[in-house]
Amino acid sequence: MSAKKASKKANSRDWRLTSQRLDILEFLRHEPGHPTAEQVYRGVKKRLRSIGFGTVYRNLDFLRHHGYIKECVVDKVTRYESRVDSHVHLVCEGCHSINEIDDQHLATLARSLAMKGNFFVRSDNFEIRGYCSDCQKKLSPKLKTPELFCMACGELLNDLQQETPVCKDCCFQTNCHYYGPVHAEQHTKR
């Protein structure tokens, strides 16, 4: 076989959906949540005992690159999902859970904004970060309100009793509740 034919055959093999890739897709389609590469590996290994972690990782990258799956990063951990349509992730910063919500209005708005900017959208990922109902109860159970949030450094303040709470990390003062309006001009350095 000539080098040209061998190269062409190798390229076509690299672009096809192999049985390993199909098994990974099948696992992701039936796995609730958004598993990490390690979780995908453990799940697929039950069926394909000889598969290695590197193979799973390379195949996840292939599937993501070719639009078969999406990845999302939560707290510096990459997670995967088989759902590639437009949807919103509600990411809890307390327990790190990811819930999905369908919102066609948001998807339509995003496409409209992209068209105005003459931008070709290859994929989208909408993420809203905050706290699920269980974690909201843990934030400030005595006061039944979320803790204060420092808009300067993005940290939660844990002392609600002060009249003008000060962020212990950056010393900015804020009078804004996490869910309330933000008045950036009122943030003053101590």
Side-chain angles (χ1 to χ4, degrees):
M1 183 184 299
S2 72
K4 191 174 186 179
K5 283 185 181 178
S7 175
K8 188 174 182 179
K9 188 173 183 179
N11 285 338
S12 67
R13 187 179 25 208
D14 291 342
W15 288 89
R16 67 184 175 152
L17 281 177
T18 63
S19 62
Q20 291 174 338
R21 291 172 181 161
L22 289 171
D23 283 342
I24 291 169
L25 273 174
E26 189 68 20
F27 173 80
L28 285 171
R29 286 188 179 128
H30 291 97
E31 179 67 18
H34 300 74
T36 63
E38 177 68 29
Q39 291 168 326
V40 173
Y41 165 70
R42 286 195 309 260
V44 172
K45 185 139 179 93
K46 291 175 184 174
R47 183 169 174 181
L48 302 173
R49 297 182 199 273
S50 64
I51 197 165
F53 178 74
T55 302
V56 170
Y57 190 79
R58 282 188 302 276
N59 283 319
L60 284 169
D61 189 53
F62 169 90
L63 293 168
R64 180 200 52 79
H65 180 75
H66 289 84
Y68 290 100
I69 63 173
K70 276 188 175 181
E71 72 178 16
C72 59
V73 179
V74 177
D75 296 321
K76 300 179 185 174
V77 176
T78 302
R79 299 178 175 276
Y80 299 91
E81 65 178 323
S82 63
R83 190 171 173 188
V84 295
D85 63 325
S86 292
H87 60 282
V88 179
H89 286 151
L90 299 177
V91 179
C92 179
E93 293 183 347
C95 66
H96 311 294
S97 64
I98 303 171
N99 293 306
E100 296 177 349
I101 294 188
D102 292 317
D103 188 337
Q104 285 305 319
H105 177 69
L106 182 59
T108 303
L109 177 62
R111 282 192 296 273
S112 173
L113 291 171
M115 287 176 66
K116 283 181 183 176
N118 197 24
F119 188 79
F120 173 73
V121 178
R122 188 165 170 259
S123 69
D124 57 40
N125 191 10
F126 303 108
E127 182 178 293
I128 300 173
R129 299 182 72 84
Y131 293 92
C132 68
S133 58
D134 289 338
C135 290
Q136 287 176 47
K137 295 172 191 170
K138 296 174 189 174
L139 289 176
S140 300
K142 292 178 184 172
L143 299 175
K144 302 284 189 212
T145 61
E147 297 181 14
L148 294 177
F149 184 73
C150 178
M151 297 305 294
C153 70
E155 295 295 322
L156 284 171
L157 306 175
N158 54 12
D159 188 359
L160 288 172
Q161 302 306 320
Q162 295 180 9
E163 194 166 308
T164 52
V166 176
C167 178
K168 291 176 181 71
D169 291 332
C170 69
C171 297
F172 270 58
Q173 294 179 352
T174 178
N175 61 356
C176 309
H177 281 280
Y178 183 77
Y179 293 109
V182 176
H183 304 289
E185 65 274 5
Q186 293 178 0
H187 293 257
T188 57
K189 207 161 195 166
R190 196 184 342 179

